[in-house]
Amino acid sequence: MEKQRTLSKSIIILGLFSFITSLSGESTNLALPTISRALAITNNQATWIVQIGLITTTILLVAFGHLGDVLSKELIFLVGGLLFTIGSLVNGLAPTFVLLLFGRVIQAIGSAMIMANSIGLTTEYSTPETRGKTLAVISMFISVGSISGPALGGVILSVFSWRWIYLINVPLGLIFSYLGFKTFTIPKFTKELLEAPLKEANWLGQGIFSVGIIVLSLSSLFFQDMQARYLVGSLAFVGGAALTVFSFIQDDHSKSPWISPSVLRNKRFMLSMFALFLAMLTNVASNILLPFYLQSFNGVNPLISGLVMVLQSVVMLVISPIAGRLSDKIGSSKLIISGLIVLIFSQIGYTFYPLSINWLLILLPILLNGVGMGLFLSPNNSLAMSFVEKHFTGVAGSLTSFFRTIGMSLGISIASAVLFAQLPGVRYITPKLGVTFIQAFHNVFWVMAALAVLCLVLSVYAISSDKNKAK
C-alpha cells in the first residue's frame, strides 16, 4: 500500500511538471501579438519567441535522455524543473527582445531535462497492463496545462502585463520542485561517477546534430524575407536535414552513442516516432497562427481568443484518458488510425475560415483537431513504448519527446514560411490585408492536410508491419 502511494505521488509530480511546461507554452502562443507590440518587433520575429525554445529543447532532448539512463532520471528531471523556473523569472523581467530570447533558452534547457525523462519515468512506474492508462494521466495534465494556458493567459493579457504569463510559473515551479525532491529517491554520486558519462559521451555527434537542427530551423527565414531567397532557403533546409540525419548515423557508429543502437534500429518504434513527428508538425500550425487570425486580423480580444483556443485542449482532456484505457483493452491500432483521419478533416476545416467572424466555421475545426490528437497521442505513445526494452525506456522516452518537439519546431517554421512567403514585406497582420491574408492562411492548412495524410499512410504501414511481425 505504501509503495502504491509513493508511485501515485511520483506520477502526480511528473504530471505537475508536464502541466506547468504546457501552461507556459500555450500562454506564450496566445501572447505573441501582444509581445510583438510591447517590444516593437514584427509578427514574424515574435514567432521566434516560441521557435528558439523549441530548437533548444530539440537539440538537448536525446542527450538528457541518455544522461537520465546512465545517471538518474529523477535527478535530471528535477534539475530541469529548477532551470525552467529560473528561465521563467528571466522571461518575466526581460526588458528587451534579446533578453527574452535568452530567458527562453534557459527555460527550454529545463524543459528538455523534464521532457526527456518524464515518459521514461512514467513507463518505469507502470506495468505493461497499465501503461496506456498511466501515459493518459500524463496527457491529462498536459491537456489541463494547455487549457489553463490560453484561459489564464487571456485573463492576464486583458488585465495585467504579458510578463505575468512567465512570472506565475516561478512560485509554481518552486513548489513542484520542493515536492519532487521530497518524493523522488535520488542516488548519491561521487565526482568520478558524474564525470565518466560526460567524458565518454559522443560530443562530436551532438555538435553535428545541433548545427543540423539550427540550420534546418533557420532555413525558413530565407523564404520569409522581402527578397524570398528560395534557392538559399532550400539549400539550407536540405543541408540542415542532411546534417541531422548524418548525426544519427555518426552516433550509431560511435563508441559511446547517445542513442542505443537497439533503439535506433527498432523499425516499429522508429515508424511510430515518425508518425508522431508528422502529427505534431501538422497540429502546431493552428496553435501558432490562430492568435494572429483572431486577435490581429479580426480584432478579437485576448480573453476571448484564449477561450477559443482552449477548446482543442478541453476536447483532448476528455478524449485522452478514454483513448488510453481503450488502448489497454482493444489495442492502439484502430484509435491511431481513427485519430489521424479526424486530424486530416480538421486541417481541411481550417481552409474554410472566413474573412469575418463565423464562430461555427471557426470552432468546428478546432474541436475536430482536439478529437484527432486525443485519439492519436496516448495510443501511439503506448504502442511505441511497448516495442522497447525496459532498460532503454529513458532514451526511448526522450526520443518520443524529441520527435514531438522537432515536429512542433519544424511545423512552426513551415507554417510561418508558407504564410509570410505569400505576404512579402508584411510586418504586421492587420484587417487591411483582407483576402490576401485569408488565402495565404488557407494555403498553410492545405499543406498541413497533405502532411496529415502522409502521417496516416506511415501509421498504417507501421501497424501492418507490427501485425506481420506478430504472425
Side-chain angles (χ1 to χ4, degrees):
M1 184 65 71
E2 182 62 31
K3 182 179 180 181
Q4 184 60 43
R5 280 198 294 268
T6 301
L7 293 179
S8 297
K9 289 180 182 178
S10 300
I11 297 300
I12 290 172
I13 296 299
L14 294 170
L16 288 173
F17 275 108
S18 297
F19 161 79
I20 195 174
T21 53
S22 178
L23 173 77
S24 181
E26 294 297 329
S27 296
T28 298
N29 290 341
L30 181 69
L32 290 182
T34 302
I35 297 175
S36 177
R37 292 191 299 270
L39 297 182
I41 57 176
T42 67
N43 290 165
N44 191 19
Q45 287 175 317
T47 64
W48 282 91
I49 298 170
V50 177
Q51 270 286 70
I52 196 167
L54 290 174
I55 293 169
T56 303
T57 301
T58 301
I59 287 172
L60 297 173
L61 272 170
V62 174
F64 285 134
H66 174 78
L67 292 176
D69 278 341
V70 298
L71 293 174
S72 165
K73 295 181 182 66
E74 290 85 353
L75 176 63
I76 302 297
F77 181 89
L78 292 174
V79 171
L82 291 174
L83 284 176
F84 178 86
T85 304
I86 294 170
S88 296
L89 180 62
V90 174
N91 292 338
L93 299 178
T96 65
F97 179 53
V98 172
L99 285 176
L100 177 59
L101 293 181
F102 176 70
R104 287 286 291 167
V105 169
I106 298 174
Q107 193 181 40
I109 294 171
S111 292
M113 299 175 83
I114 293 169
M115 294 169 64
N117 291 278
S118 61
I119 292 180
L121 286 169
T122 303
T123 302
E124 286 188 1
Y125 293 149
S126 61
T127 64
E129 293 75 22
T130 62
R131 184 180 293 122
K133 181 179 178 181
T134 307
L135 288 169
V137 170
I138 301 300
S139 295
M140 285 178 63
F141 275 101
I142 294 173
S143 295
V144 171
S146 298
I147 292 168
S148 304
L152 183 60
V155 172
I156 290 172
L157 294 173
S158 298
V159 181
F160 305 105
S161 166
W162 62 268
R163 298 180 183 280
W164 284 99
I165 68 172
Y166 297 113
L167 293 176
I168 196 172
N169 295 331
V170 177
L172 293 177
L174 291 174
I175 292 169
F176 297 165
S177 295
Y178 171 77
L179 294 175
F181 279 103
K182 293 284 287 184
T183 301
F184 290 127
T185 300
I186 300 175
K188 294 182 179 180
F189 294 100
T190 62
K191 182 180 179 182
E192 290 73 20
L193 286 174
L194 286 171
E195 288 180 346
L198 297 177
K199 288 181 178 179
E200 296 172 359
N202 178 24
W203 293 113
L204 174 61
Q206 177 66 37
I208 296 171
F209 174 70
S210 300
V211 172
I213 291 294
I214 292 171
V215 173
L216 186 61
S217 300
L218 292 178
S219 65
S220 65
L221 293 176
F222 295 103
F223 295 98
Q224 300 171 36
D225 64 17
M226 293 184 67
Q227 287 74 35
R229 291 170 286 179
Y230 296 116
L231 178 60
V232 178
S234 298
L235 290 174
F237 184 88
V238 173
L243 281 174
T244 303
V245 172
F246 176 71
S247 70
F248 282 91
I249 298 172
Q250 189 276 343
D251 188 66
D252 190 46
H253 291 84
S254 70
K255 293 182 179 179
S256 181
W258 291 106
I259 306 171
S260 169
S262 65
V263 175
L264 196 60
R265 297 173 188 175
N266 187 327
K267 179 182 176 181
R268 293 179 294 169
F269 175 77
M270 293 305 295
L271 283 172
S272 295
M273 291 299 97
F274 280 115
L276 175 64
F277 161 76
L278 287 172
M280 296 307 301
L281 189 156
T282 300
N283 179 68
V284 78
S286 60
N287 293 340
I288 201 72
L289 295 185
L290 280 182
F292 292 110
Y293 171 82
L294 293 171
Q295 297 176 50
S296 302
F297 187 70
N298 275 299
V300 176
N301 72 57
L303 178 58
I304 300 299
S305 177
L307 293 175
V308 170
M309 294 184 66
V310 157
L311 179 60
Q312 180 183 331
S313 300
V314 170
V315 173
M316 288 182 66
L317 178 63
V318 174
I319 297 295
S320 290
I322 298 173
R325 291 189 183 94
L326 285 175
S327 69
D328 290 332
K329 294 180 180 179
I330 66 173
S332 301
S333 303
K334 294 179 181 178
L335 296 168
I336 291 171
I337 292 173
S338 299
L340 291 175
I341 291 173
V342 176
L343 182 64
I344 292 169
F345 279 106
S346 73
Q347 302 307 299
I348 295 174
Y350 290 121
T351 68
F352 289 93
Y353 266 33
L355 272 169
S356 55
I357 295 296
N358 180 321
W359 288 117
L360 178 62
L361 291 177
I362 290 171
L363 296 179
L364 182 58
I366 298 174
L367 187 151
L368 290 175
N369 207 153
V371 172
M373 292 303 291
L375 287 173
F376 172 80
L377 283 178
S378 293
N380 188 73
N381 288 344
S382 180
L383 181 67
M385 296 304 287
S386 70
F387 298 145
V388 181
E389 297 175 30
K390 188 172 183 179
H391 55 286
F392 291 130
T393 55
V395 71
S398 69
L399 277 174
T400 301
S401 297
F402 164 74
F403 279 100
R404 182 186 183 110
T405 307
I406 194 173
M408 294 171 65
S409 179
L410 288 182
I412 293 174
S413 292
I414 292 172
S416 299
V418 173
L419 181 71
F420 286 101
Q422 300 173 83
L423 304 171
V426 173
R427 293 173 58 84
Y428 301 100
I429 294 169
T430 67
K432 293 181 180 179
L433 293 173
V435 176
T436 304
F437 169 75
I438 284 296
Q439 188 60 56
F441 183 86
H442 290 171
N443 289 339
V444 171
F445 288 99
W446 281 119
V447 173
M448 295 302 147
L451 290 171
V453 170
L454 178 60
C455 181
L456 175 62
V457 172
L458 187 63
S459 293
V460 170
Y461 177 71
I463 289 166
S464 62
S465 298
D466 182 40
K467 289 180 179 178
N468 292 335
K469 184 93 173 181
K471 292 179 181 179

